[in-house]
């Protein structure tokens, strides 16, 4: 059995091959011709459409018989997404691809580098070479979600049911992206309901109160002393307690305790970020720890310092304020903690963030031999207004609730540019993270590197279900 590395190739025997990716993942496949595009929606094999000529999906296993593929098929791209929608792959066990031939004979194994914030991972492609077929290991992270992946391969995916922002266990929120120019931007596909973990019941001889109990302020003081000590050792400036963050943390910890589960969004449909902005705190960057189990502030901080992602948030030098609270679920006695970290939004801070997005975008264009984009104040005004609108009204789409498109919004801001393109993203916590995500997504990358674009405007807003909303408007 071969151990493949990214870019490694493997000649395949005649007949069907089996591709399996065990774990908390959804497997999907796209069947394309030589040009890399599907011929129709039937070429997208995933959990809502588990079969196509020559390809059949069952659970975590995909069976491909190249002899039975539709006419003109030259490539099958195999990808995985988290079974729980929106969860970054970096929070799950690393996916491993197992390839076998007739009779279950092992052919190859591929363990790609561990992804981080990506929500899709292209694992491999089965492609025609002469009269035979080969498998190539990929391991390419993709930031645009399942719908974006399908769309960039030419599938028009339509949403039948709205999806809520998915909860996360702790750390940064997942990031998703979409892109459009003057073309229809399809919505994400309808998803099956996310599975919820269960835990055994605990029997108490003395009934506990039924309502969640808010944490005393002493816990916040203990937490502050411990985290500032840890930040000092990491070379980060101290943070201070902010009553607004503390109130949002208290409300969210109580909501999680009442529901008996961790989540960025409570059972009331309100995200932790919406609770924060409702207090009047507007932020430039935000982080959160949502944790159950620690009995006191010392155990919470110890947990946050053990794992990479929570530790990165605790040490992040960008944060200036923190708020923390916990609540206990009555009958189970489980303790739910919320710690919120933030830096307040200022006009100068927003201007610096926008300038950093433009600078990083122009660096990518320079690498491709393209001239830089100039900032257009009218495009910037439209982009900022749209990011704010998405955060305030809690929607995420290239089409506004009123039906306006990117070019409509640019024109409304006074722009007379003939060609308009738009990238949007949500959930990313920095300019570097959002530009990296866009560059990892073919559709967004195409907008950034489009030779015909000459100008750009950038917008950012915090709040809403996802926490952050980013917009790039391109013009020519």
């Amino acid at each position: 059995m071969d151990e493949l590395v990214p870019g490694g190739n493997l000649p395949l025997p005649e007949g069907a091959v089996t591709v399996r990716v065990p774990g908390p993942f959804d497997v999907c496949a796209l069947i394309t011709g030589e040009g890399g595009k599907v011929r129709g929606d039937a070429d997208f094999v995933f959990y809502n459409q588990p079969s196509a000529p020559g390809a059949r999906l069952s659970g975590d296993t995909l069976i491909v018989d190249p002899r039975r593929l539709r006419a003109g098929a030259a490539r099958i791209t195999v990808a995985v997404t988290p079974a729980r929608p929106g969860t970054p792959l970096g929070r799950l066990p690393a996916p491993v691809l197992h390839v076998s031939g007739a009779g279950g004979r092992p052919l190859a194994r591929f363990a790609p580098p561990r992804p981080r914030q990506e929500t899709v991972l292209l694992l491999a492609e089965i492609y025609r070479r002469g009269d035979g077929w080969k498998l190539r290991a990929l391991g390419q992270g993709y930031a645009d979600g399942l719908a974006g992946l399908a769309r960039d391969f030419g599938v028009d995916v339509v949403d039948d049911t709205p999806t809520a922002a998915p909860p996360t266990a702790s750390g940064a929120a997942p990031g998703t992206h979409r892109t459009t120019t003057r073309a229809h931007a399809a919505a994400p596909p309808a998803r099956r309901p996310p599975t919820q973990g269960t835990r055994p019941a605990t029997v108490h001889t003395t009934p506990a109160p039924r309502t969640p109990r808010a944490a005393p302020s002493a816990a916040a003081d203990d937490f502050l002393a411990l985290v500032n000590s840890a930040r000092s050792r990491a070379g980060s400036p101290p943070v201070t307690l902010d009553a607004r963050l503390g109130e949002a943390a208290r409300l969210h910890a109580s909501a999680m305790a009442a529901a008996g589960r961790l989540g960025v969004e409570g059972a009331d449909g309100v995200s932790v970020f919406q609770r924060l902005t409702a207090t009047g705190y507007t932020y430039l960057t935000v982080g959160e720890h949502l944790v159950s189990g620690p009995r006191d502030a010392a155990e919470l901080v110890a947990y946050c310092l053990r794992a990479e992602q929570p530790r990165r948030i605790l040490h992040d030098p960008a944060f200036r304020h923190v708020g923390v609270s916990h609540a206990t679920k009555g009958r189970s006695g489980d303790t739910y903690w919320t710690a919120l970290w933030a830096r307040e939004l200022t006009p100068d801070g927003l201007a610096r963030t926008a300038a950093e997005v433009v600078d990083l975008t122009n660096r990518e264009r320079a690498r491709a031999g393209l001239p830089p984009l100039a900032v257009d104040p009218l495009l910037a005004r439209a982009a900022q207004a749209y990011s704010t609108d998405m955060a305030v009204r809690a929607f995420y789409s290239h089409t506004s609730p009123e039906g306006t498109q990117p070019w409509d919004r640019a024109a409304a801001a006074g722009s007379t540019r003939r060609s308009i393109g738009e990238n949007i993203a949500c959930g990313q916590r920095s300019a570097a993270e959002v530009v990296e995500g866009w560059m990892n997504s073919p559709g967004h990358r195409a907008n950034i590197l489009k030779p015909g674009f000459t100008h750009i405007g950038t917008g950012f807003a915090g709040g809403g279900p996802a926490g952050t909303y980013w917009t790039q408007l391109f013009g020519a």
Side-chain angles (χ1 to χ4, degrees), residues 11-33:
L12 295 176
E14 291 189 5
V17 294
T18 298
V19 174
R20 180 172 176 262
V21 187
F25 309 107
D26 284 329
V27 180
C28 64
L30 293 118
I31 302 166
T32 59

Side-chain angles (χ1 to χ4, degrees), residues 12 17-21 26-32 44-45 55 57 60-64 75-81 96-99 110 112 120-127 134-140 142 146 149 153:
L12 295 176
V17 294
T18 298
V19 174
R20 180 172 176 262
V21 187
D26 284 329
V27 180
C28 64
L30 293 118
I31 302 166
T32 59
F44 184 25
V45 178
L57 178 64
D60 62 5
T61 301
L62 176 72
I63 300 175
V64 177
R75 190 179 308 270
I76 304 97
T77 302
V78 180
V80 293
T81 62
V96 178
L97 179 80
H98 300 268
V99 185
F110 175 48
V120 177
L121 186 65
L122 305 184
L123 277 175
E125 57 184 8
I126 298 170
Y127 64 100
K134 301 181 75 174
L135 181 139
R136 178 185 292 116
L138 297 176
Q140 176 187 346
Y142 195 100
L146 186 58
L149 171 68
F153 276 79

Side-chain angles (χ1 to χ4, degrees), residues 92-397:
L92 301 176
V96 178
L97 179 80
H98 300 268
V99 185
S100 57
R105 180 172 64 90
L107 298 176
R109 178 181 179 275
F110 175 48
R114 187 180 186 88
R116 295 190 297 171
Q117 289 297 323
E118 294 87 345
T119 55
V120 177
L121 186 65
L122 305 184
L123 277 175
E125 57 184 8
I126 298 170
Y127 64 100
R128 187 192 301 273
R129 178 56 56 89
D131 294 332
W133 290 79
K134 301 181 75 174
L135 181 139
R136 178 185 292 116
L138 297 176
Q140 176 187 346
Y142 195 100
D144 203 16
L146 186 58
L149 171 68
R151 188 179 304 113
D152 286 335
F153 276 79
V155 181
D156 185 24
V157 184
V158 178
D159 189 13
D160 293 326
T161 57
T163 56
T168 57
S170 65
T176 55
H177 305 264
R178 294 184 192 160
T179 180
T180 187
T181 54
R182 288 181 179 265
H184 170 65
R191 288 194 178 271
R192 61 191 178 196
T195 57
Q196 297 289 346
T198 59
R199 56 189 302 168
T202 303
V203 178
H204 297 272
T205 55
T206 303
R210 292 180 179 271
T211 56
R213 300 190 300 272
S217 59
D221 293 335
D222 292 344
F223 181 81
L224 182 68
L226 291 165
V227 300
N228 277 337
S229 176
R231 287 172 66 87
S232 176
R233 291 193 298 271
S236 299
V239 290
T240 59
L241 291 172
D242 186 282
R244 295 163 295 179
L245 272 68
E247 174 64 8
R250 183 188 68 80
L251 292 172
H252 199 71
S254 295
M256 291 192 299
R261 63 177 175 85
L262 295 172
V264 167
E265 184 176 282
D268 55 3
V270 180
S271 77
V272 66
F273 314 111
Q274 290 168 306
R275 298 188 206 281
L276 178 52
T277 54
T279 68
Y281 190 103
T282 56
Y283 54 82
L284 185 64
T285 186
V286 67
E288 73 281 354
H289 290 126
L290 308 177
V291 182
S292 66
R295 292 167 295 183
D296 54 33
E299 288 189 4
L300 174 63
V301 173
Y303 162 80
C304 293
L305 290 173
R306 278 199 304 269
E308 179 184 358
Q309 181 69 16
R311 182 170 61 249
R312 187 182 302 125
I313 292 174
L314 191 150
H315 286 163
D316 194 330
F319 297 132
R320 293 293 181 267
H321 297 130
V322 70
V324 65
S325 188
H326 71 271
T328 302
K329 186 171 178 62
R331 291 194 176 276
S332 70
D334 295 333
T335 302
Y336 291 81
W337 291 83
T338 298
L340 287 173
W341 309 75
R343 182 170 191 155
E344 202 155 13
L345 179 70
T346 63
D348 287 347
L350 182 59
R352 285 194 300 271
T353 297
E356 188 177 357
V357 171
V358 174
D359 179 62
L360 292 169
T361 298
N362 280 333
R363 289 186 198 178
E364 298 296 343
R365 288 178 65 87
R367 291 190 185 102
L370 297 170
L373 301 172
V375 174
D376 182 326
L378 297 179
L379 294 180
R381 182 188 306 167
Q384 181 58 46
Y386 198 58
S387 286
T388 301
D389 194 25
M390 287 191 290
V392 170
R393 294 203 285 171
F395 74 93
Y396 179 64
S397 172

